[in-house]
Amino acid sequence: ECGKLILPLTVDDFSTLDTLLKRAPLNGVEAHAVGEREILELEPEANAALGRGVWVPGTAVSDPRAVLARLVDIARSRGIEFRWGAPV
């Protein structure tokens, strides 16, 4: 299952969570405010001590270098030649 659970590190981060929740629908992103119970259902090992978070089910965290390396591999398998550092 994909999704991202965003948790505050301190109570000072609550305003950031509120901003994310306000901006999400403006950008076509589904986001939900979650409390301690929902946090622990989504991620049992999470630190839910502050009792607030944001769940974004339509996103995921990835390693951009790994994604790019895989795209390069796919392109090379289709005959694309890369010339790193060559003038254009």
Side-chain angles (χ1 to χ4, degrees):
E1 182 178 347
C2 288
K4 183 187 294 188
L5 180 60
I6 304 166
L7 300 175
L9 296 176
T10 70
V11 294
D12 294 333
D13 295 327
F14 285 179
S15 63
T16 301
L17 294 181
D18 294 336
T19 299
L20 289 172
L21 286 166
K22 286 178 190 172
R23 289 183 181 169
L26 300 174
N27 292 300
V29 176
E30 179 185 355
H32 307 278
V34 291
E36 184 176 357
R37 182 180 57 81
E38 295 93 352
I39 291 168
L40 294 174
E41 286 174 5
L42 292 163
E43 183 51 65
E45 298 298 319
N47 180 350
L50 294 177
R52 287 189 64 188
V54 174
W55 171 243
V56 186
T59 190
V61 178
S62 66
D63 176 350
R65 288 186 175 130
V67 171
L68 185 56
R70 181 65 180 131
L71 290 172
V72 168
D73 289 344
I74 291 168
R76 282 185 174 143
S77 74
R78 295 181 180 176
I80 303 296
E81 180 182 335
F82 291 89
R83 296 183 182 194
W84 308 109
V88 291

